[in-house]
Amino acid sequence: MSSLAGKIKATALVGSLLSLAASNAVALEPLYVKNLSPVAGLFGLPSQRSAQTVNRGESSLALHASIASHYVVDGDDDEAINLDGETQRLALEWRYGLADNWEVQLEVPWLDHSGGHLDSLIDDWHELWGFSDGGRSQGPSDVLDYHYRSSADTFDLQDDASGVGDVSLSLSRQIYQDADAAASVALGYKFASGEEEDFLGSGEDDWFVTLRFSGAHLADWPLYWHGQLGYMRAGDVDILAQGQENNLWFAGLSGDWQFNERWSLLLQVDVHAAPADSALAALGDEAVMLTVGGRWRFHRNWALELSVVEDAQVETAPDVTFQGSVRYYSGR
């Protein structure tokens, strides 16, 4: 009897969560994750999101905040790179339901590159657990120094910089919906609105297409899954003119464990192609980011998220990124 009661309870919870998701966009969403590595962050790779579109005439608004710490020193006789600094990013995201199953999304980011204040905290963390720090503790603390040299390309940023980044606009079409799952396709465009010399933008427009899915776990567990797979055509970036890759793939998978109607734990993986043809991991290896976070739905129309991103593929993303998001949905 107790086993049967447990199954009934779990099934009821899953049904309740699916009903909530259908009427409220803050209920079931992947975590908002961007690769803030100074070079990879120049490209318009989209973050994961739910395959469900906002209802006709309704809207969703979110503010995403991130702070990332970088430390990469690598090189050989042909090329060398140094990425030492901190990036802060704020992004305002607005979605609107144009019609049934059609949605437009606008994202406006603001970025700040500086020496930051996280180096000593991260050094202490590595020392506490005995983790390798990649030589971070031997370098200067809280300085900004992005530089790269090869036979064909070079860049150098040592002065603090901040401003509006590259604005993006996308159109999503939900192509499938049933009681347990949804699928959509999206076409997006990133405008060259950020200053390239300050690492606020790529200096060129990008466009992407992606397929997304969302669905409940096929068992009596309060789990919800999201995934995406896509392609981006990147415009030519001057600082990587000779070695840049223009055709980039990206993918992601997110699991959302809703252990009650207000709280969730989320585990997420995001991957994308290397931005350049290079022997250096920071430029030439595929990025793999692992994110762990939680969501608190403190009101039917509001949610707060906190998460931490690690570079599972070392040096292809920041050492650590701390993130927070507030989401609002206008629906009833």
Side-chain angles (χ1 to χ4, degrees):
M1 286 296 290
S2 61
S3 176
L4 178 60
K7 289 184 177 181
I8 293 174
K9 183 178 180 180
T11 302
L13 178 56
V14 171
S16 174
L17 294 171
L18 290 174
S19 176
L20 184 61
S23 61
N24 189 342
V26 305
L28 297 171
E29 281 284 341
L31 293 166
Y32 178 91
V33 174
K34 293 284 190 180
N35 187 347
L36 297 188
S37 178
V39 176
L42 298 175
F43 299 94
L45 295 163
S47 59
Q48 291 193 59
R49 51 154 294 178
S50 172
Q52 292 179 312
T53 54
V54 173
N55 294 332
R56 177 204 290 253
E58 296 178 353
S59 61
S60 172
L61 192 66
L63 181 63
H64 307 290
S66 307
I67 180 169
S69 180
H70 320 288
Y71 188 81
V72 175
V73 178
D74 193 10
D76 54 29
D77 292 338
D78 296 321
E79 55 181 342
I81 193 168
N82 187 102
L83 300 176
D84 188 359
E86 189 172 295
T87 299
Q88 297 181 41
R89 186 178 189 270
L90 288 174
L92 185 65
E93 175 194 291
W94 175 72
R95 305 179 193 172
Y96 181 74
L98 296 172
D100 291 342
N101 301 318
W102 286 93
E103 177 199 291
V104 64
Q105 176 177 327
L106 175 69
E107 183 176 320
V108 181
W110 178 90
L111 293 98
D112 177 88
H113 296 290
S114 69
H117 307 285
L118 293 178
D119 282 348
S120 60
L121 175 64
I122 295 173
D123 288 343
D124 291 343
W125 177 262
H126 286 152
E127 184 178 355
L128 175 64
W129 297 101
F131 295 157
S132 171
D133 63 7
R136 172 190 283 269
S137 59
Q138 306 304 313
S141 294
D142 303 332
V143 300
L144 176 65
D145 184 6
Y146 302 160
H147 67 257
Y148 170 72
R149 62 109 184 125
S150 72
S151 59
D153 304 311
T154 182
F155 62 73
D156 189 359
L157 179 68
Q158 299 188 42
D159 295 326
D160 293 1
S162 62
V164 175
D166 287 347
V167 175
S168 63
L169 184 68
S170 63
L171 180 68
S172 296
R173 164 71 163 135
Q174 188 169 303
I175 57 176
Y176 176 78
Q177 173 76 63
D178 68 11
D180 298 324
S184 66
V185 62
L187 180 65
Y189 195 83
K190 189 215 71 174
F191 301 89
S193 51
E195 292 291 337
E196 181 183 7
E197 60 268 24
D198 291 333
F199 278 75
L200 303 177
S202 69
E204 292 290 339
D205 299 342
D206 302 334
W207 66 267
F208 70 84
V209 61
T210 182
L211 178 66
R212 297 183 170 112
F213 74 87
S214 299
H217 191 73
L218 300 179
D220 297 330
W221 295 358
L223 286 176
Y224 208 75
W225 299 99
H226 303 278
Q228 74 170 6
L229 179 64
Y231 163 81
M232 190 184 77
R233 175 66 183 182
D236 293 332
V237 180
D238 287 346
I239 63 173
L240 296 174
Q242 298 300 313
Q244 181 190 344
E245 298 286 359
N246 296 103
N247 300 300
L248 305 177
W249 59 265
F250 57 91
L253 183 65
S254 176
D256 183 340
W257 175 37
Q258 306 240 335
F259 54 89
N260 66 38
E261 291 188 4
R262 289 190 176 273
W263 292 91
S264 299
L265 290 177
L266 298 100
L267 180 65
Q268 184 164 315
V269 177
D270 292 273
V271 299
H272 66 75
D277 180 12
S278 170
L280 307 180
L283 298 177
D285 285 359
E286 292 79 9
V288 182
M289 295 172 288
L290 178 64
T291 307
V292 178
R295 176 181 296 122
W296 173 37
R297 287 171 297 280
F298 57 90
H299 183 275
R300 178 176 176 81
N301 298 84
W302 290 87
L304 173 67
E305 301 167 1
L306 298 174
S307 59
V308 179
V309 188
E310 287 282 348
D311 55 338
Q313 180 82 310
V314 177
E315 296 187 350
T316 61
D319 288 349
V320 62
T321 304
F322 301 103
Q323 301 189 143
S325 297
V326 178
R327 299 181 188 268
Y328 168 76
Y329 179 56
S330 67
R332 297 180 179 180

